[in-house]
């Protein structure tokens, strides 16, 4: 039994959402530490010390040569065994925004196809490329989650609002059959949806117009998980709406979120549950 | 070493698209109305290394090419592949960097290359981009086309026109080899020359020193005691070395020493007959008032002397703010100039106290009209290109640094064509005390501390920035003064330095900005009264830089940090962990000398006192004569519906959303009020509001005010309006008006009378009046200025074609917010809100936006008349305090600043944000006539909305303050404005939206 799951929040080389990512895990009962990537690469620290790994958003290496590529390479070559062991031990990993890009470029997401050995093989199968608009933008979107997804991070969450802040968030796979396979395994965990649709009925494969889909992502994909459900990545920033006062509608008294919580009272935002899910999962399973 | 070429192009089809190419296509259409059917892009890498072509080819998919979305080519041009490029384009343009220019993708590629080929230590990589244009109009000139997308100052372009394309001749750019630099031994500079020759020396050497300053330097070397000391240390006894002269020129530059603000001014006012001497407007009008206020409050921790002003925010944290301008570099290279502006001011925060963490940026730009169709002087870019470049530079600089842009403005006026103004501000936060008990806002250096240069290396780029910005822009302005920032190198340095701070390793820290090491180490050496630098230890981007170049180069991304001898190992280890270069280059001493060596040779030996306090005080003449302007007279017939739609589309009023949305304004998860608010998140936000401590709703308000056009009538009124606007904006979100601090950033045309500036006395009188109003209003508002900056040479050319900017004060404000859960935004909150005007409208239409609009269209003769004045700021502050309290206690959730375009524009914007209608009656809102009450820009006014249930409490809370019921928000979607029985406006809100959003959407669409 783990009472207080230890969370490694990576930083360094241009990662820049490390402070708030640490904060959200701390709020929901984790014990998060910002750890420089090189501590793991140099062997000063080991991933083995931690129960959860978070790769936060940012601009690692300035997004040059493709977002997430260079940091992904450092991890792919230097941390291969550690990452493999981490997932094999049933420990959750999340990548947000640039962190998602890193996980895709390392091949951790979407990972091996269902039915094969689900543990990481570090083969890149998808990519995240420049938004169709050609612009980096910060704007709020509405997300809906696949309730049947094996993803341990998203259990019980139907829909949330949160911001996207990226220039390279268009999720692509080489072939539409690749999508069908992921869809069949409910790995297309989270999509951009039209907020005018009914809760739970927003998910569609039909390309949504800008700005409902902010980047032209294929099948409106905002995030995916691997076949184990442990590794999850998404472009939008749920940590950026950990409190209702960060929601743009809060001065209108209509910011959505739980009516009460043990950490922020009536002010908990919709994004926090994702991080609570992982902390609770570790408490229950490790 | 061999050079291997790798080219990469996006795959086509199946939902893939070439976004880079398409962005160029849309830009061409939007800015030049030139339509291409398609533009494709190729990214190129030139890899200079010992790794063979074959080895690179086997690993290309791991690094250069993303096999899912791209196709790569090794040592062959992508254009020559007829399968990927089956049809011949009309034009192909390849753009690469000039030698020595910062190539960030190239630097990142080298890093990635080392991951895969660790043995390739000396590898260098240069990047370029190629665009292939299809379906261009037949009369589109290829060279002209290239000119629209590259800047010859920093880039090279190779062009294949349609004939070349037809023959398959593609541009093949080569590795940009740096020309060999030769180290030249420091020279003795003979100053025993005539006055005319001294001036000539200053002019040709870009020293920007006047005759009296040159003579003061000359005098220093005539002193016998000085000569004896110099003889003994082994440096030319009777003349400066080039190192010393350059060092003095940087340290004494207007940019670093603020000589005009420190000058003795003989001021004459022809209106009042006043004839007086002002000994330093800075001390008199800015510093003294703040120091007086410092006696009354306990939260002003550090003012004026550090890189930014620091205030106590709560028991655990202090906050600081600094704003800078980067005008001259942004005129020459808008992208690089603006990027170095924003990352530079971030370093000011990092260099405050023992190191503060930058947590929010502000950006305010002043440009020429984006739709300018008149002539452009040589060497100046079209305003739309300046806008694009500056915006991109600030976007990349801020976003990649992980610092949210929470507040800003864009102002347009014809005269900013001559010199764009690029103001960049940053707010920082630091713990009140470090773990070792030291207060973090106090630097603690002692003699014997080791001085490190941390971050980037020193190169030829960035030499003479400080002196260059102290001169007017000319066609010959040097390209070495232009740089491109490297936000990732800086981000790594910020991470490392903040860890070093928290570990107690830092005793002193400052930024390497203007003047380079000569300024940074020179200023820190004042603490211990001396230092000894060895320039030979400074890591260089290229060999061969001469000693003076190393000392004054302003190469970016560098901090100067002092560390105790016993902490060096820990400091070095942190630098290694973060992959940041940190080199010990100097030691603090108490000798009283700024001692610079190159290996064993002494190359500069200047008394600290002379270096910092030796510059003679300027004596300047100022004379105020009120400008004679044709008054604004309202047209006989007017359709206010039409006027409102036109006003909403004015560049100074229109939505800047497409630009602002490209800034990350929410990283760090603290931004409570975004730049755009309301139902569709597209109504204007008045001030930034952040809650930086996660889980804690304690907030910081950030706002700004700027009103340059009022200077046409009176720069004093301009200053008062700027300050009031900043405060007003902050009040709109519920700031604690008893804990606010300000920053004054003056941008002025040269106010020193000379042949080049015959109207210098008038421009100086404008500066005097602005500062007097600054003091009056700040004292009344109990608003201390804690930091500021001035940029005093904002002119282009001289004589007939001279362009001088309007005197401009940007006033930035940061203040305390007790609880961000109770705040307000400008959007109406649905039907039934009672709408009130707080404040009163006077007949003040002089220099108003409506006056400028109607003068430009020929419907009115002039813009003169009564400019808005702040008559009674003391009672205004009381009103603000009362209103802010109604927001803090949750009574009021809707508030909007009333400024350009008056009440009409303010309520229109509130309807846009709320997507709901309103019925407004401007009768009884003040002493102005219909035009004054509808369009006037009287200060001190805020429009608020309050729910019916809270109305009585609101009215009671505001008892004794000027409030007027304006109307009510409605279920319908129409804005109606009447003046009693006279109907003025009746417009659907959707039409307001369309007018407000059209003007500055220069994106060419999104698809």
């Amino acid at each position: 039994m783990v009472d207080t799951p230890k969370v490694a929040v990576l930083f360094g080389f241009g990662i820049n959402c490390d402070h708030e990512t640490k904060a959200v895990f701390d709020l929901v009962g984790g014990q998060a530490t910002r750890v420089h990537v090189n501590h793991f690469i140099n062997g000063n620290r080991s991933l083995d010390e931690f129960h959860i790994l978070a790769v936060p958003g940012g601009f690692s290496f300035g997004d040059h040569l493709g977002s997430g590529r260079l940091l992904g390479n450092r991890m792919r070559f230097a941390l291969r065994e550690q990452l493999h062991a981490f997932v094999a031990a049933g420990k959750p990993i999340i990548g947000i925004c640039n962190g998602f890009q890193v996980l895709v470029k390392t091949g951790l997401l979407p990972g091996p196809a269902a039915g094969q050995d689900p543990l990481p093989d570090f083969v890149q199968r998808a990519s995240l490329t420049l938004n169709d608009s050609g612009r980096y933008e910060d704007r709020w979107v509405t997300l809906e989650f696949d309730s049947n997804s094996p993803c341990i991070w998203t259990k019980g969450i139907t829909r949330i609002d949160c911001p996207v802040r990226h220039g390279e968030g268009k999720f692509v796979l080489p072939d539409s059959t690749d999508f069908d396979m992921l869809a069949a395994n409910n790995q297309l965990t989270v999509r951009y949806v039209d907020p005018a649709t009914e809760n739970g009925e927003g998910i569609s494969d039909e390309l949504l117009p800008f700005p409902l889909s902010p980047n032209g992502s294929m099948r409106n994909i905002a995030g995916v998980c691997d076949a184990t459900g442990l590794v999850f990545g998404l472009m939008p920033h749920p940590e950026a709406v950990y409190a209702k006062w960060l929601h743009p509608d809060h001065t209108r008294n209509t910011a959505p979120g739980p009516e009460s919580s043990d950490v922020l009272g009536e002010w908990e935002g919709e994004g926090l549950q994702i991080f609570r899910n992982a902390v609770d999962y570790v408490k229950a399973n490790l | 070493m061999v050079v291997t070429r790798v080219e990469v192009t996006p795959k086509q089809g199946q939902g893939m698209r070439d976004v880079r190419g398409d962005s160029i296509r849309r830009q061409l259409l939007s800015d030049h109305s030139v339509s291409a059917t398609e533009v494709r892009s190729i990214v190129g890498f030139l890899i200079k290394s010992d790794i063979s072509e074959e080895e690179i080819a086997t690993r290309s998919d791991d690094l250069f090419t993303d096999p899912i979305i791209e196709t790569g080519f090794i040592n062959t041009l992508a254009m020559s592949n007829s399968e990927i490029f089956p049809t011949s384009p009309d034009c192909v343009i390849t753009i690469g960097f000039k030698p020595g220019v910062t190539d960030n993708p190239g630097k990142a590629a080298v890093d990635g290359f080392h991951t895969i080929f660790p043995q390739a230590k000396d590898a260098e990589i240069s990047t370029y981009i190629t665009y292939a244009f299809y379906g261009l109009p037949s009369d589109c000139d290829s060279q002209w086309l290239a000119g629209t997308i590259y800047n010859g100052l920093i880039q090279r372009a190779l062009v294949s026109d349609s004939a070349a394309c037809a023959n398959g001749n593609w541009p093949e750019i080569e590795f940009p080899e740096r020309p060999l630099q030769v180290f030249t031994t420091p020279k003795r500079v003979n100053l025993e020359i005539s006055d005319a020759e001294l001036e000539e020396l200053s002019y040709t050497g870009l020293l920007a020193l006047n005759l009296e300053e040159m003579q003061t330097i000359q005098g220093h070397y005539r002193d016998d005691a000085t000569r004896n000391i110099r003889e003994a240390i082994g440096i030319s006894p009777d003349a400066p070395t080039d190192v010393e002269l350059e060092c003095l020129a940087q340290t004494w530059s207007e940019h670093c020493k603020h000589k005009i603000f420190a000058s003795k001014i003989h001021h004459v006012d022809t209106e009042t007959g006043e004839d007086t001497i002002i000994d330093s407007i800075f001390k008199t009008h800015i510093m003294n008032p703040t120091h007086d206020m410092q006696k009354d409050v306990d939260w002003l921790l550090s003012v004026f002397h550090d890189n930014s002003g620091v205030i106590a925010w709560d028991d655990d944290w202090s906050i600081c703010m600094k704003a800078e301008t980067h005008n001259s570099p942004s005129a020459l290279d808008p992208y690089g100039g603006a990027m170095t502006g924003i990352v530079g001011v971030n370093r000011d925060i990092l260099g405050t106290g023992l190191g503060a963490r930058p947590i929010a940026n502000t950006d305010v730009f002043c440009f020429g009209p984006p739709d300018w169709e008149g002539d452009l002087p040589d060497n100046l870019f079209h305003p739309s290109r300046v806008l694009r470049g500056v915006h991109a530079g600030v976007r990349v600089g801020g976003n990649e640094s992980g610092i949210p842009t929470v507040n800003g403005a864009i102002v347009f006026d014809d005269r900013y064509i001559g010199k764009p103004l690029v103001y960049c501000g940053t707010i920082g936060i630091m713990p009140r005390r470090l773990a070792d008990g030291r207060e973090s806002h106090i630097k603690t250096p002692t003699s014997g501390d080791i001085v490190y240069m941390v971050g980037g290396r020193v190169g030829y780029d960035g030499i003479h920035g400080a002196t260059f910005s102290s001169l007017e822009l000319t066609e010959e302005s040097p390209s070495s003064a232009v740089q491109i920032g490297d936000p990732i190198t800086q981000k790594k340095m910020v991470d490392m330095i903040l860890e070093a701070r928290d570990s107690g390793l830092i005793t002193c820290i400052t930024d390497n900005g203007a003047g380079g090491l000569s300024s940074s180490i020179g200023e820190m050496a004042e603490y211990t009264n001396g230092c000894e630098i060895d320039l030979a230890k400074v890591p260089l981007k290229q060999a061969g830089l001469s000693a003076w170049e190393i000392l004054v180069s302003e190469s970016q991304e560098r901090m100067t940090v002092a560390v105790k001898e016993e902490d060096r190992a820990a400091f070095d280890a942190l630098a290694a962990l973060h992959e940041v270069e940190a080199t010990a280059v100097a030691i603090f001493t108490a000798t009283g000398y700024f001692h610079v060596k190159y290996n064993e040779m002494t190359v500069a030996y200047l008394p600290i006192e002379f270096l910092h306090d030796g510059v003679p005080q300027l004596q300047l003449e100022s004379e105020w004569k009120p400008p004679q302007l044709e008054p604004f007279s309202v047209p006989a017939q007017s359709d206010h519906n039409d006027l409102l739609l036109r006003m909403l589309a004015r560049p100074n009023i229109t939505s800047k959303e497409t630009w602002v949305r490209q800034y990350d304004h929410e990283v760090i998860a603290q931004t409570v009020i975004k730049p755009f608010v309301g139902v569709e998140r597209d109504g204007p936000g008045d001030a930034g509001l952040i809650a930086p401590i996660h889980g804690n709703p304690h907030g910081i308000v950030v706002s700004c005010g700027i009103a340059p056009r009022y200077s046409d009538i009176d720069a004093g009124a301009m200053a008062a309006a700027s300050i009031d606007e900043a405060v007003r904006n902050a009040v709109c979100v519920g700031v604690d008006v008893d804990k606010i601090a300000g920053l004054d950033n003056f941008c002025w045309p040269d106010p020193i009378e000379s042949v080049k500036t015959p109207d210098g006395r008038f421009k100086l009188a404008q500066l005097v009046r602005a500062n007097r109003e600054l003091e009056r209003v700040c004292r009344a508002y109990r608003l201390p200025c804690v930091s500021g900056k001035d940029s005093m040479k904002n002119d282009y050319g001289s004589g007939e074609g001279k362009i001088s900017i309007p005197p401009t004060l940007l006033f930035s404000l940061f203040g305390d917010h007790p609880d961000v859960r109770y705040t307000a935004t400008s959007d109406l909150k649905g039907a039934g809100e009672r709408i009130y005007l707080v404040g009163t409208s006077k007949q003040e239409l002089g220099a108003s936006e409506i006056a400028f609009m109607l003068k430009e269209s020929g419907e009115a003769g002039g813009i003169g008349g009564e400019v808005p004045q702040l008559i009674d700021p003391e009672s205004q502050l009381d009103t603000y305090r009362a209103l802010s309290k109604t927001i803090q206690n949750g009574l009021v959730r809707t508030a909007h600043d009333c400024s350009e375009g008056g009440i009409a524009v303010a309520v229109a914007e509130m309807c846009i944000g709320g997507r709901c209608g309103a019925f407004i009656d401007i009768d009884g809102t003040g002493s102005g006539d219909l035009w004054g009450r509808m369009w006037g820009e009287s200060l001190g006014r805020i429009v608020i909305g309050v729910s019916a249930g809270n109305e009585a409490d609101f009215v009671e809370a505001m008892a004794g303050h000027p409030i007027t019921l304006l109307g009510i928000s409605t279920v319908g979607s129409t804005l109606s404005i009447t003046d009693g029985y006279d109907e003025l406006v009746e417009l659907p809100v959707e039409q307001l939206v369309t007018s407000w959003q059209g003007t500055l959407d220069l994106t060419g669409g999104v698809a």
Side-chain angles (χ1 to χ4, degrees), chain B residues 353-577:
Chain B
L354 295 171
R357 179 181 168 220
I359 54 165
N361 285 336
T362 64
D363 308 305
V364 176
F365 308 142
C366 302
F367 296 137
D371 56 353
W372 177 253
E373 287 179 355
D375 291 337
L376 281 178
D378 290 343
N379 211 25
L380 294 181
F381 288 118
H382 189 274
S384 67
R385 182 152 175 191
V386 177
L387 166 62
R388 272 190 200 288
V390 166
H391 171 265
V394 166
R395 182 192 70 219
V396 170
N399 291 0
E400 294 192 8
S401 302
I403 303 168
T405 299
V406 300
N407 188 244
I410 309 180
V411 177
F412 298 96
D413 183 279
D414 293 357
R415 290 161 285 182
Y416 293 120
I417 289 174
K419 186 79 90 72
L421 303 186
V422 176
Y423 293 95
C424 297
T426 303
I427 291 117
I429 192 165
M430 54 184 157
R432 290 283 292 275
R433 281 183 188 280
L434 300 182
D436 57 25
R438 286 182 297 161
E439 291 186 275
S440 64
H441 65 278
I442 299 170
K443 301 186 197 293
T444 58
T446 48
S447 179
D449 286 357
I450 306 299
V451 183
Y452 279 82
M453 188 181 95
V454 181
R457 295 184 152 216
V458 172
Y460 192 68
D461 51 336
I463 289 175
H464 278 155
T467 49
F468 156 65
S469 70
S470 305
L471 299 166
E472 79 277 11
L473 208 54
T474 67
E475 288 172 43
E476 290 87 31
S477 297
S479 64
S480 65
V482 174
Q483 298 188 70
I484 296 175
D486 174 2
I488 296 305
T489 293
Q490 179 152 318
K491 173 70 172 142
K492 290 193 290 185
M493 176 177 74
V494 172
D495 287 347
M496 178 235 162
I497 282 176
L498 292 177
E499 262 198 83
R501 176 199 71 185
D502 290 340
S503 306
L505 303 179
I506 295 175
T507 68
C508 196
I509 179 167
T510 198
D511 161 37
N512 271 285
L517 288 172
S518 91
S519 289
S520 70
I521 302 184
E523 282 167 22
M524 294 202 328
E526 269 193 292
Y527 285 98
T528 64
N529 198 29
C531 67
E532 189 179 310
I533 309 174
D534 184 355
L535 294 176
K537 292 193 176 136
V538 175
L540 305 179
K541 291 181 183 176
Q542 61 188 125
L545 261 73
S546 300
W548 73 267
E549 292 171 324
I550 299 172
L551 189 62
V552 305
S553 167
E554 298 171 10
S555 286
Q556 292 287 303
E557 291 87 35
R558 292 182 296 146
M559 298 295 290
T560 298
V561 183
V563 174
K564 295 225 164 298
E565 177 67 41
E566 61 265 31
D567 290 330
R568 285 185 64 177
F571 192 77
D572 291 342
L574 262 187
L577 174 74

Side-chain angles (χ1 to χ4, degrees), chain B residues 649-905:
Chain B
R650 296 278 292 171
N652 280 328
I653 292 175
T654 187
S655 171
K656 281 87 184 173
E657 186 186 353
T658 48
W659 302 95
V660 174
R661 203 162 280 298
Q662 296 180 55
Y663 303 133
D664 187 334
H665 47 259
E666 294 185 272
V667 58
I668 312 184
Q670 58 179 4
T671 308
V672 175
I673 296 188
K674 332 286 180 194
F676 286 87
V677 301
V679 179
E680 302 289 338
R681 290 68 157 129
D682 62 358
D686 287 299
L689 176 60
I690 57 175
I693 307 300
H694 297 114
N696 185 337
H698 188 193
I700 301 168
V701 175
V702 187
S703 67
C704 69
I706 189 167
R709 286 177 155 186
Y710 293 179
S711 288
D712 287 5
I713 297 176
D714 178 9
M718 179 279 293
S722 305
I723 301 163
D724 187 58
E725 185 183 20
V727 176
R728 228 159 50 225
N729 279 321
V731 167
C732 284
V733 302
V735 74
D736 175 358
V737 296
D738 296 311
K739 196 168 181 182
I740 51 178
L743 281 73
D744 54 288
N745 281 80
F746 288 86
C747 285
W748 234 251
D750 187 358
I752 300 178
E753 186 179 36
S754 69
V755 180
K756 283 185 301 189
T757 312
D759 56 350
R761 289 178 185 224
F762 173 72
K763 287 168 173 169
L764 190 60
Q766 289 182 304
L767 187 67
V768 169
R769 293 175 74 84
N771 276 277
R772 286 178 165 179
E773 276 296 270
L774 176 93
E775 175 177 1
R776 183 179 74 90
V777 175
C778 284
R779 280 190 187 273
Y781 280 177
R782 312 297 298 157
L783 170 53
C785 292
V786 296
S787 181
K789 207 71 191 261
D790 53 272
S791 164
M792 303 304 288
K793 307 276 167 168
N794 292 292
D795 308 274
Y796 175 85
S798 57
E800 195 81 338
K802 177 169 178 171
I803 306 173
S804 292
I805 65 151
T808 306
L809 168 66
L810 169 68
F811 198 87
S812 310
L813 179 150
F814 65 125
D816 188 47
H817 194 290
D819 187 337
V820 301
R821 291 174 296 183
Y822 305 98
T823 182
T825 47
S826 70
D827 49 308
L828 291 171
K829 307 292 185 292
E833 257 192 314
R834 303 320 197 244
I835 301 169
Y836 280 81
L837 176 68
V838 179
T840 53
S841 307
K842 306 183 200 71
Q843 190 61 16
E844 295 174 319
L845 288 158
S848 63
E849 191 64 29
I850 190 106
F852 272 97
M853 182 175 87
L854 295 178
K855 176 179 180 259
E856 285 166 23
S857 67
E859 291 161 270
I863 57 98
E866 295 298 321
V867 70
Q869 301 281 352
L870 199 58
I871 303 298
D872 184 4
E874 285 81 6
S875 69
Q876 185 66 56
L877 178 67
D878 291 338
T879 300
Y880 285 155
R881 184 182 292 110
L883 177 59
S884 233
K885 290 226 163 99
T886 66
I887 295 170
Q888 290 163 16
N889 63 25
L891 281 180
V892 170
R893 302 287 266 180
T894 303
H896 190 31
D897 168 40
C898 185
S899 52
E900 290 96 338
I903 287 180
V905 166

Side-chain angles (χ1 to χ4, degrees), chain A residues 125-146:
Chain A
R125 294 179 174 82
S127 197
L128 286 151
T129 186
L130 294 165
N131 298 348
D132 277 355
S133 69
R135 299 204 293 270
Y136 175 103
E137 283 198 333
D138 175 342
R139 63 165 69 246
W140 281 64
V141 293
T142 302
L143 304 177
E144 198 164 294
F145 297 81
D146 178 350

Side-chain angles (χ1 to χ4, degrees), chain A residues 13-269:
Chain A
F13 302 119
I15 287 173
N16 60 36
C17 298
D18 41 322
H19 287 274
E20 61 265 40
T21 305
K22 166 181 157 49
V24 291
F25 281 108
D26 286 341
L27 277 173
V28 296
Q31 184 193 349
T33 314
R34 292 166 56 242
V35 187
H36 195 284
V37 181
N38 274 350
H39 276 309
F40 291 124
I41 290 176
N42 299 343
N44 303 335
R45 307 285 300 261
S46 164
L47 275 179
D48 195 38
E49 301 167 38
F50 297 92
H51 304 106
I52 295 173
L53 172 65
V55 191
F59 267 94
S60 58
F61 296 99
D63 275 0
H64 300 301
L65 283 78
S67 56
R69 197 91 199 275
L70 297 178
L71 181 57
N73 271 353
R74 289 226 183 180
M75 292 170 61
R76 187 155 61 108
F77 298 130
L79 302 180
R80 207 182 174 90
E81 285 77 27
Q82 287 194 57
L83 286 165
H84 188 277
F86 199 83
V87 180
K91 294 176 175 176
I93 299 178
I94 191 168
I96 302 169
C97 195
N98 194 222
F100 180 33
Q101 293 161 339
V102 167
L103 297 186
V104 167
K105 306 291 167 85
T106 58
L108 280 169
L109 286 175
Q116 300 177 0
D117 175 1
L119 294 178
D121 60 1
F122 302 94
V123 175
Q124 183 185 339
R125 294 179 174 82
S127 197
L128 286 151
T129 186
L130 294 165
N131 298 348
D132 277 355
S133 69
R135 299 204 293 270
Y136 175 103
E137 283 198 333
D138 175 342
R139 63 165 69 246
W140 281 64
V141 293
T142 302
L143 304 177
E144 198 164 294
F145 297 81
D146 178 350
S147 56
N148 297 317
S149 176
C151 182
I152 67 101
W153 294 83
T154 60
K155 295 287 179 213
I157 305 173
T158 309
R159 186 177 277 207
I160 69 171
D161 295 341
C162 65
V164 288
R165 312 193 302 254
H166 62 246
E168 300 184 34
K170 177 178 176 175
F171 186 83
V172 296
L173 286 170
D175 207 305
S176 69
T177 57
D178 299 326
F179 282 103
D180 295 338
M181 280 165 63
L182 290 178
N185 201 37
N186 300 100
Q187 283 175 253
L188 305 178
T189 309
V190 53
R191 319 260 199 125
Y192 304 106
V193 297
D194 182 346
T197 55
E198 286 296 316
N199 240 3
E201 290 170 21
I203 289 182
S204 162
D205 287 346
E206 193 85 12
L207 221 53
L208 285 175
F210 177 89
L212 294 176
S213 165
N215 48 32
S217 207
M218 292 179 176
R219 301 204 187 183
N220 309 311
I221 290 166
V224 300
C225 69
D226 74 344
T228 68
L230 292 166
V231 187
F232 175 49
L234 75 171
M235 287 311 299
H237 288 273
E239 81 285 2
V241 62
Y242 76 84
K244 280 180 190 162
W245 61 70
L246 297 170
H247 193 286
D249 286 340
H250 106 262
T251 60
R252 306 183 71 83
N253 292 330
T254 54
E259 283 173 17
S260 69
S261 91
D262 51 348
V263 283
L264 293 167
E266 60 184 312
W267 286 91
E268 179 176 326

Side-chain angles (χ1 to χ4, degrees), chain B residues 2-276:
Chain B
V2 291
V3 175
T4 305
R5 183 187 302 271
V6 176
E7 290 199 341
V8 173
T9 190
K11 287 183 178 170
Q12 302 277 92
Q14 289 197 321
M16 308 282 190
R17 62 164 74 189
D18 189 331
V19 171
R20 279 191 194 87
D22 205 47
S23 293
I24 291 291
R25 181 187 65 75
R26 282 185 276 129
Q27 184 178 318
L28 203 55
L29 188 63
S30 173
D31 287 5
H32 305 285
S33 302
V34 171
S35 149
T37 53
E38 189 184 16
V39 181
R40 293 182 64 182
S41 72
I42 300 158
V43 174
F45 302 88
L46 294 164
I47 305 146
K48 196 171 151 190
S49 74
D50 294 324
I51 309 297
S52 70
E53 176 188 336
E54 292 71 26
E55 283 177 281
I56 291 174
T58 58
R59 301 304 296 276
S60 177
D61 280 1
D62 279 332
L63 183 61
F64 299 107
T65 312
D66 181 336
I68 308 288
I69 52 174
E70 292 165 338
T71 310
F73 306 84
I74 312 290
N75 273 348
T76 158
L77 294 173
M79 286 308 305
S80 57
N81 184 307
S82 59
E83 201 177 314
I84 306 292
F85 291 91
T87 55
S88 180
D90 298 332
C91 173
V92 175
I93 299 170
T94 293
I95 300 167
F97 293 102
K98 280 188 164 173
V101 174
T102 300
D103 179 351
N104 287 322
K107 278 170 94 168
V110 168
D111 197 290
F113 200 69
H114 286 159
T115 304
I116 293 170
F117 302 107
Q119 70 275 30
K121 289 275 175 265
D122 296 328
E124 290 178 67
I125 300 181
S126 168
T127 65
Y128 61 88
I129 188 155
T130 296
Y131 295 108
F133 295 81
Y134 297 85
L136 285 171
S138 53
D139 61 349
C140 182
D141 179 71
S142 299
Q143 293 296 337
W144 170 85
L145 185 60
T148 65
I149 55 176
Y150 95 107
N151 181 357
L153 211 53
I154 51 165
Q155 293 168 316
R156 307 169 288 162
L158 300 183
V159 179
S160 290
D161 58 16
S162 57
C165 290
N167 291 326
N169 290 332
W170 314 116
E172 192 166 350
I173 202 163
E174 299 302 329
F175 194 92
E177 297 288 355
R178 293 179 189 205
L180 210 61
Q181 292 285 327
V182 182
F183 178 85
T184 50
T185 320
K187 286 192 293 284
R188 175 182 178 280
V189 184
N190 180 21
L191 292 188
E192 294 305 327
I193 50 179
S194 71
D195 287 354
E197 287 168 317
L198 283 177
E199 285 186 301
E200 177 68 14
L201 178 64
S202 170
Y203 182 77
T204 54
L206 266 178
L207 301 177
L209 296 169
N210 67 22
L211 180 59
E212 196 191 348
E213 290 157 355
M214 289 299 285
Q215 287 168 333
T216 304
I217 297 173
Q218 183 187 52
H220 175 72
Y221 293 92
R222 286 178 174 172
D223 178 66
D224 283 339
T226 302
R227 289 184 175 184
N228 291 337
I229 290 165
R230 292 174 65 81
E231 181 102 55
I233 204 86
I235 188 169
S236 66
D238 56 353
T241 61
D242 54 0
V243 182
E244 291 177 314
L245 194 55
E246 288 287 348
C247 176
L248 285 165
Q250 302 301 320
T251 312
W252 289 10
S253 66
E254 174 57 41
H255 188 99
C256 294
K257 269 283 176 267
H258 312 289
K259 291 181 284 197
I260 293 168
F261 268 75
S263 69
K264 190 167 277 181
I265 295 173
H266 176 220
H267 176 67
V268 174
D269 187 328
T270 62
E271 258 185 317
T272 64
E274 182 190 3
D275 187 321
T276 190

